[in-house]
Amino acid sequence: MRVSPDTTSPAVPIIIDCDPGHDDMVAIMTAFAADDLDLRGITTVAGNQTGEKTFLNARRILSLIGAHDIPLARGCDVPLVRPLRVAEDIHGDSGLDGADLPAPRERVSPLHAVDLIADLVSSSTEPITLVPTGPLTNIALFLRRYPELIDRIASVVLMGGAVAESNVTPAAEFNIYVDPEAADIVFRSGLSLTMVGLDATNKAMLDPDDIARLTASDGQVSCIVGKLLAFFAGTYEHVFGIAGAPLHDALAVAVAAAPDIVTTRDLHVAIETKGDHTVGRTVADVYGVTGQTPNASVALDVDVDRFRTLMFDVFSQLDTICR
Ligand code: RIB
Ligand code: CA
């Protein structure tokens, strides 16, 4: 299956840096199932849960979908400066509550995530797109540790931030809030940056009927995904009063293959790293009042019907692969 309707476009080489996490799981599934994405590797970071738990969850997800050969490495367990803040209220104690998952994949890289990214980028014949879907700790450290590889990065398509939304505080989105210093490094890097934030991802929702349809499926992957997303939707209902499961991270992966699935504006985005009430805010200069050159293509809306169809195509493809 393809994310993009353009059948002439070559597969986009990507590395996902994630903190699974229910929506990170769907991001990994999307990248693995899509023929127009070339998933070169996965790295994990602490965020939704501890570094130990997000790494274990990634190993379990790769076992579930039969992704035995995708390189996987564990990254940072703590943000650059601040103590770790997890999202147990959203993703549960394991970080992926809601269903029994298969035994974790044993084969993992001995490298640290930052070094696996460097290894994959430096050995690639073409520039690679980084798709971070958790706090940006690993990505910031990669940029600091390997500045000579920056020109081997095609772009960064990240899930994070927001122009007019928030979740973890009234001012901030979780991935940016957990490590705002790392986000500041990434947004000042000069790399081609697409910010897939809550303005778009909160609309990239599977509704309760979609989730019930998955849970009732005969497909092994669809059924497990349905149970996991039922848990995720339950916590979203409890915390935010929202009915459904917003697949924030899966949208970022979709954008890497098909940028036109979202509507974007080029804006200057600064990261607030101080403010008692505003730390972690992605401060988007919507009216250009600062006169600063835009440093990000910011997603403001999404083709929801196209996204939902894509999600069911992904799960159907994995049901076929994992029969
Ligand atoms: O704010 C949503 C983001 O925070 C998603 O990436 C979710 O997985 C959590 O990491
Ligand atoms: Ca995430």
Side-chain angles (χ1 to χ4, degrees):
M1 51 76 66
R2 299 180 66 89
V3 179
S4 171
D6 173 7
T7 56
T8 62
S9 57
V12 178
I14 67 170
I15 296 170
I16 295 176
D17 183 71
C18 55
D19 61 336
H22 294 74
D23 54 327
D24 302 78
M25 171 190 70
V26 183
I28 291 170
M29 291 177 166
T30 302
F32 183 64
D35 293 330
D36 46 355
L37 286 167
D38 177 5
L39 180 56
R40 299 286 183 87
I42 296 170
T43 53
T44 62
V45 66
N48 282 324
Q49 261 296 355
T50 64
E52 179 184 8
K53 291 180 179 179
T54 60
F55 186 55
L56 177 61
N57 290 337
R59 292 170 59 204
R60 290 191 188 282
I61 293 161
L62 294 182
S63 287
L64 173 64
I65 61 177
H68 304 303
D69 300 322
I70 305 286
L72 171 69
R74 177 174 170 178
C76 295
D77 288 345
V78 287
L80 296 184
V81 175
R82 300 165 189 270
L84 176 63
R85 152 77 188 264
V86 298
E88 183 168 345
D89 57 333
I90 303 296
H91 297 277
D93 178 63
S94 73
L96 199 53
D97 282 14
D100 292 331
L101 287 166
R105 194 184 89 176
E106 289 306 319
R107 185 176 157 212
V108 298
S109 168
L111 297 176
H112 184 280
V114 171
D115 299 318
L116 178 62
I117 292 170
D119 193 48
L120 293 169
V121 166
S122 56
S123 60
S124 174
T125 54
E126 66 264 69
I128 289 183
T129 294
L130 302 182
V131 185
T133 64
L136 291 164
T137 316
N138 289 339
I139 306 303
L141 280 183
F142 166 75
L143 297 177
R144 284 285 188 268
R145 172 74 182 78
Y146 295 99
E148 72 279 9
L149 294 179
I150 286 181
D151 64 356
R152 305 293 298 140
I153 303 298
S155 74
V156 177
V157 181
L158 66 90
M159 193 281 137
V163 174
E165 291 272 359
S166 61
N167 54 14
V168 66
T169 74
E173 177 279 325
F174 180 81
N175 287 340
I176 308 298
Y177 179 78
V178 169
D179 199 339
E181 287 75 15
D184 191 36
I185 288 170
V186 174
F187 277 76
R188 292 176 186 271
S189 68
L191 282 167
S192 165
L193 191 58
T194 301
M195 182 179 108
V196 184
L198 296 175
D199 313 278
T201 68
N202 274 346
K203 301 170 189 170
M205 177 86 68
L206 291 191
D207 66 27
D209 289 343
D210 293 331
I211 295 169
R213 173 180 159 193
L214 288 169
T215 307
S217 167
D218 294 334
Q220 175 190 342
V221 173
S222 289
C223 182
I224 288 180
V225 167
K227 290 174 181 175
L228 290 162
L229 294 187
F231 174 89
F232 186 41
T235 60
Y236 254 77
E237 175 76 34
H238 177 69
V239 173
F240 300 107
I242 294 173
L247 300 181
H248 308 283
D249 299 334
L251 182 58
V253 166
V255 169
D260 63 342
I261 199 169
V262 292
T263 305
T264 62
R265 280 192 62 197
D266 290 344
L267 300 172
H268 184 271
V269 178
I271 307 298
E272 181 56 70
T273 58
K274 299 181 179 62
D276 291 341
H277 308 289
T278 56
V279 65
R281 182 74 188 164
T282 46
V283 182
D285 186 2
V286 173
Y287 298 109
V289 294
T290 66
Q292 297 191 82
T293 305
N295 59 345
S297 175
V298 178
L300 298 172
D301 205 351
V302 56
D303 182 338
V304 180
D305 291 340
R306 182 174 161 193
F307 177 76
R308 288 178 60 250
T309 300
L310 169 65
M311 290 297 97
F312 280 98
D313 287 349
V314 166
F315 304 138
S316 174
Q317 173 81 357
L318 293 174
D319 285 338
T320 302
I321 296 172
C322 302
R323 220 176 246 147

